[in-house]
Amino acid sequence: MSKLQDFKPNYYDGILEMDALLDAEQPAFDQATAAINRLLLNRFVMKADSDGLSLLESELGIETDLTQPLESRRYDILVRMLPPHPITFKYLKDLVKSFDISASLQRDVLRQAITSYSRQDSVTTEQLRRLRYLLNVYLPGNMTYRLITTGDVEIPQPHNLGMAVDVHIETVVMPQPVELGGSS
């Protein structure tokens, strides 16, 4: 933050009354500057605080849910603000990548299905929620999707008796209707 002393003309140098006046007004100046900066930043989705996100949600007709984390609310707003674009498989992959979700998508044209593969150590629960939301919104109604998350598990065994254990966990999520909020 800048100081009021920086804006003082040279002819006030050394005048104690002016220095005392500027020092007394500095807290009000800092408070006004912070409020102006916050107002400006609240117009940008990635920099907005909770109040700014609530305003953007209201403008877009999205129901404000203060229980969701800020990042989740940001991505919901961004998805709604995306410009109209033909939904191709390449565009969907680019969209997933732009939302910083580390998952590779594969499609099965005959089965009308999309499968997402990700590693447990490189994707968070919030990112999987965002991916599920994107797929629910952008996939046609006749397509299904599966989210497959893999991870490594070590099971220490004190003695090797020649046995092998193979554990395979797969989570299949069927598309669900998405409530976008707002009234029509």
Side-chain angles (χ1 to χ4, degrees), residues 26-43:
Q26 186 64 46
F29 179 75
D30 290 343
Q31 190 177 24
T33 303
I36 289 170
N37 286 337
R38 190 74 257 151
L39 280 172
L40 292 174
L41 290 176
N42 277 341
R43 297 310 302 160

Side-chain angles (χ1 to χ4, degrees), residues 43-66:
R43 297 310 302 160
F44 298 94
V45 177
M46 296 311 286
K47 299 289 184 181
D49 61 6
S50 182
D51 294 334
L53 292 177
S54 296
L55 179 64
L56 290 168
E57 288 168 335
S58 172
E59 289 175 358
L60 293 170
I62 300 172
E63 186 175 326
T64 301
D65 184 5
L66 297 176

Side-chain angles (χ1 to χ4, degrees), residues 79-158:
V79 166
R80 184 66 67 89
M81 292 176 67
L82 286 173
H85 193 281
I87 301 169
T88 62
F89 186 64
K90 181 185 180 321
Y91 175 70
L92 186 63
K93 286 170 55 174
D94 290 343
L95 195 59
V96 168
K97 185 178 179 183
S98 71
F99 278 109
D100 196 27
I101 301 170
S102 108
S104 70
L105 297 178
Q106 293 182 354
R107 66 180 167 187
D108 185 345
V109 178
L110 296 176
R111 290 189 179 136
Q112 293 291 309
I114 298 272
T115 305
S116 163
Y117 295 97
S118 56
R119 298 265 316 145
Q120 182 181 13
D121 54 357
S122 66
V123 69
T124 65
T125 306
E126 181 60 29
Q127 289 173 325
L128 288 174
R129 191 197 73 75
R130 274 187 255 145
L131 178 62
R132 193 169 42 249
Y133 181 79
L134 278 175
L135 294 175
N136 276 334
V137 170
Y138 282 102
L139 287 183
N142 63 342
M143 287 189 82
T144 60
Y145 65 86
R146 295 186 321 166
L147 303 178
I148 298 176
T149 306
T150 59
D152 296 327
V153 177
E154 291 185 24
I155 302 173
Q157 294 186 3

